[in-house]
Amino acid sequence: MTRLQIVTITETDDVRLADYVRLRDVNLRRHLEAERGLFIAEGEKVIRRALDAGYQPRSFLLAERWLESLADRLDDHQTTPIYLVTEKLAEEITGFHVHRGALAAMHRQDPYTTADLLGWDRLVILEDIVDHTNVGAILRNAAGLGWQGALLSPRSADPLYRRAIKVSMGSVFSLPWARLDDWGSAIPLLNDHGFTTVALALTDDALNLDQVRERLAAHGTGKIAVMLGTEGAGLSEQWIAQASLVARIPMQAGIDSLNVAAASAIACYALNQPPTR
Amino acid sequence: MTRLQIVTITETDDVRLADYVRLRDVNLRRHLEAERGLFIAEGEKVIRRALDAGYQPRSFLLAERWLESLADRLDDHQTTPIYLVTEKLAEEITGFHVHRGALAAMHRQDPYTTADLLGWDRLVILEDIVDHTNVGAILRNAAGLGWQGALLSPRSADPLYRRAIKVSMGSVFSLPWARLDDWGSAIPLLNDHGFTTVALALTDDALNLDQVRERLAAHGTGKIAVMLGTEGAGLSEQWIAQASLVARIPMQAGIDSLNVAAASAIACYALNQPPTR
């Protein structure tokens, strides 16, 4: 442990902690993290998963007791500063009670491009999902149910935002994802690459999700891209019109539509397996 | 509007606002709401849904602009005090920025008993789901996917807690639910009442959810109760052993299990309809 770059911090305005300020301020953080090319990993498990996925740390912000439990990983990054703080100080800097007292600032990287993902068989496509919780939950569901990747429209929320990472249980690191360069050409691009693009929408002429499953199975298990629309308004008319199929989850009359994350769970379950006989 | 009981409040320590203090303090609120037999409805839509469901208001806490948009409902409750506050004062009392500036304190009531629900065909059973967000999401999913009611183990979180109500989009008012008197006898009780009790669990001998669906369909669409276990540990061994069937959602290797709310969406979708042919 002796060669680690441990720096004990005692002042909340220490400039070395600038990556960690006011983590609850979404607007500030969105700006700051994009500008500096960083994101924040929170909690031991998430830090480990980010490192496993190849993300490089800029620094760690730890309460002392984490030095030991993260020792194996800290040893791998001996040139990375470790800012040692009390939990109280961490709370004053970040603005909230730090989940289990361990944070890391990581360098952003874009490990995948849209072109990488177009070669695969099972993708989830997010159109303007603006809520970090929903983005995280959808990526977790997709990863857990065996889908291979996710493409996000330009206006969708950042999967590397702290809240999205946390809700995803770190799936944002293990599930390949990329941001689409262009909203307008996204669905034609998928169609051209052999995907059956399935729009989830409550339109009158939508097929029941089970029918879609049957139809896909009848034509062999080809490439499938499930399209999920923005909270509230759902998928745009343009994306619905461009989709190969429109599917609806059978809903109880008089109830609001399901939350988009719940809908993603159902669609990823229903469309990623052969029909039951 | 002239006969309404409007009281303008200007001091944060006004005792008439005791029902609304420190809404973010879960422990305080849990105690206070149980003791006084009240719950808090937040936002116009939720307030309307609670009133629609027959819950009686103790008082309203409103910013002035809500007097007009809620006028029809306020007129129905002319003896109920309406505390008029600025949004700033509301925030100081409640401890957070009040969602759209309208709150109501409502009398708790238990419109259903376990016995009521045992006569129905499609129930969701919650074992010690302690997170209010998960309880709200599960009830929303169950209602949206056409299930008839929910039974909660004694230690499950309160569906009438503000956060659960909000996440449920008010489904906690429209979906009948009741709390089980006793954890140990719950599953035998359901079995005795003709339910096929389906435990969702990742045990080695669990059937694939699709197989369960097939099996249930082969025996006609009888009464089905889906059992969901606590966050982290999942269903208890006792409940799994007492279940008619154990079902698992096919998961990707190496990924944590799905969030329990996502699992509820998949199970309620898969088990509430005939198989695809």
Side-chain angles (χ1 to χ4, degrees):
Chain A
M1 297 281 287
T2 50
R3 283 168 301 168
L4 298 180
Q5 307 297 316
I6 298 178
V7 183
T8 300
I9 304 276
T10 56
E11 303 293 332
T12 54
D13 58 355
D14 193 308
V15 292
R16 290 170 292 190
L17 299 193
D19 283 357
Y20 298 95
V21 297
R22 288 161 58 194
L23 293 180
R24 292 184 69 171
D25 184 335
V26 179
N27 288 331
L28 169 76
R29 295 301 309 184
R30 201 181 275 146
H31 182 71
L32 182 154
E33 295 183 9
E35 189 176 76
R36 300 190 184 180
L38 68 87
F39 69 92
I40 298 292
E42 179 189 4
E44 181 187 358
K45 198 170 186 177
V46 165
I47 291 172
R48 287 182 178 276
R49 289 188 176 179
L51 295 172
D52 285 343
Y55 287 95
Q56 293 300 313
R58 293 159 61 96
S59 67
F60 297 95
L61 182 78
L62 304 176
E64 185 156 10
R65 62 195 175 97
W66 291 102
L67 279 181
E68 193 166 335
S69 50
L70 277 168
D72 55 322
R73 298 315 182 88
L74 300 177
D75 256 358
D76 296 337
H77 299 279
Q78 297 190 359
T79 59
T80 307
I82 301 167
Y83 301 125
L84 211 60
V85 292
T86 62
E87 293 196 16
K88 182 163 175 295
L89 188 71
E91 190 168 343
E92 284 169 12
I93 293 159
T94 63
F96 70 108
H97 183 71
V98 176
H99 178 68
R100 299 176 188 170
L103 293 170
M106 302 269 187
H107 291 284
R108 279 180 184 262
Q109 53 193 55
D110 296 320
Y112 298 93
T113 65
T114 297
D116 294 329
L117 275 65
L118 291 174
W120 301 347
D121 292 335
R122 293 284 184 277
L123 299 182
V124 176
I125 319 298
L126 284 66
E127 185 184 29
D128 300 0
I129 308 282
V130 296
D131 180 273
H132 292 110
T133 300
N134 285 334
V135 167
I138 292 167
L139 267 57
R140 179 180 177 186
N141 291 339
L145 293 162
W147 289 63
Q148 296 167 314
L151 290 172
L152 289 84
S153 70
R155 285 190 291 191
S156 291
D158 177 14
L160 293 181
Y161 188 74
R162 184 177 55 88
R163 175 89 192 138
I165 295 172
K166 192 171 174 179
V167 171
S168 85
M169 300 286 280
S171 293
V172 296
F173 305 130
S174 57
L175 184 80
W177 57 267
R179 203 173 277 279
L180 291 156
D181 294 326
D182 178 52
W183 168 81
S185 62
I187 306 308
L189 185 71
L190 287 159
N191 292 335
D192 289 347
H193 279 77
F195 283 92
T196 300
T197 44
V198 181
L200 270 199
L202 294 173
T203 57
D204 291 336
D205 57 351
L207 297 166
N208 182 305
L209 185 59
D210 272 336
Q211 292 175 275
V212 172
R213 184 179 177 178
E214 279 294 304
R215 186 180 289 202
L216 292 175
H219 295 83
T221 49
K223 298 168 72 166
I224 302 173
V226 169
M227 300 156 55
L228 299 161
T230 190
E231 299 90 351
L235 284 167
S236 65
E237 287 182 25
Q238 181 171 327
W239 275 31
I240 291 173
Q242 292 171 333
S244 318
L245 294 168
V246 184
R248 64 182 294 153
I249 296 169
M251 296 287 300
Q252 185 72 355
I255 302 282
D256 291 333
S257 65
L258 291 171
N259 161 274
V260 66
S264 77
I266 293 171
C268 287
Y269 161 76
L271 298 179
N272 195 27
Q273 42 182 331
T276 48
R277 71 179 72 179
Chain B
M1 299 281 286
T2 51
R3 283 168 302 167
L4 298 181
Q5 308 296 315
I6 298 178
V7 182
T8 300
I9 304 277
T10 56
E11 303 294 332
T12 54
D13 58 354
D14 194 307
V15 292
R16 289 170 292 190
L17 300 193
D19 284 356
Y20 298 95
V21 297
R22 289 161 57 194
L23 293 181
R24 293 183 68 170
D25 185 335
V26 178
N27 288 332
L28 170 77
R29 296 301 308 184
R30 201 181 274 147
H31 182 73
L32 182 153
E33 294 183 9
E35 189 176 77
R36 299 190 184 181
L38 68 86
F39 69 91
I40 298 292
E42 179 189 4
E44 182 188 359
K45 199 170 185 178
V46 164
I47 291 172
R48 286 182 179 276
R49 289 188 176 179
L51 295 172
D52 284 345
Y55 287 95
Q56 293 300 312
R58 292 159 62 97
S59 67
F60 297 95
L61 182 79
L62 304 176
E64 184 155 11
R65 62 197 174 95
W66 291 101
L67 279 180
E68 195 166 332
S69 49
L70 277 169
D72 55 323
R73 297 314 181 87
L74 299 177
D75 255 359
D76 295 337
H77 298 278
Q78 298 190 359
T79 59
T80 306
I82 300 166
Y83 301 125
L84 211 61
V85 292
T86 61
E87 293 196 15
K88 181 163 175 294
L89 187 70
E91 190 167 343
E92 285 168 11
I93 293 159
T94 62
F96 70 107
H97 184 71
V98 176
H99 178 67
R100 298 176 187 170
L103 294 169
M106 302 269 185
H107 291 284
R108 280 179 182 261
Q109 52 194 55
D110 295 320
Y112 298 93
T113 64
T114 298
D116 293 330
L117 274 65
L118 290 173
W120 301 347
D121 291 336
R122 292 286 183 276
L123 299 182
V124 176
I125 318 298
L126 284 66
E127 185 185 29
D128 301 359
I129 308 282
V130 296
D131 180 273
H132 292 111
T133 300
N134 285 334
V135 168
I138 292 167
L139 267 56
R140 179 179 177 188
N141 291 339
L145 293 162
W147 289 63
Q148 296 167 315
L151 290 173
L152 290 83
S153 70
R155 285 189 291 191
S156 292
D158 177 15
L160 293 180
Y161 188 74
R162 184 177 57 88
R163 176 88 192 138
I165 295 172
K166 192 171 173 179
V167 171
S168 85
M169 300 286 279
S171 293
V172 296
F173 306 130
S174 58
L175 183 80
W177 57 268
R179 203 173 277 278
L180 292 156
D181 294 326
D182 178 53
W183 168 82
S185 62
I187 306 308
L189 184 71
L190 287 159
N191 291 334
D192 289 348
H193 280 78
F195 283 92
T196 300
T197 44
V198 180
L200 270 198
L202 294 173
T203 57
D204 292 336
D205 57 350
L207 297 165
N208 182 305
L209 184 59
D210 271 337
Q211 291 176 275
V212 172
R213 184 178 177 180
E214 279 295 304
R215 187 180 288 202
L216 292 174
H219 295 83
T221 50
K223 297 167 73 166
I224 302 174
V226 169
M227 299 154 56
L228 299 160
T230 190
E231 300 89 351
L235 284 167
S236 65
E237 287 182 25
Q238 180 171 328
W239 275 32
I240 291 174
Q242 292 171 334
S244 317
L245 294 167
V246 184
R248 64 184 294 154
I249 297 169
M251 296 286 301
Q252 184 72 355
I255 302 280
D256 291 332
S257 65
L258 291 170
N259 162 275
V260 66
S264 77
I266 293 171
C268 286
Y269 161 75
L271 299 179
N272 195 26
Q273 41 181 334
T276 48
R277 69 180 72 178

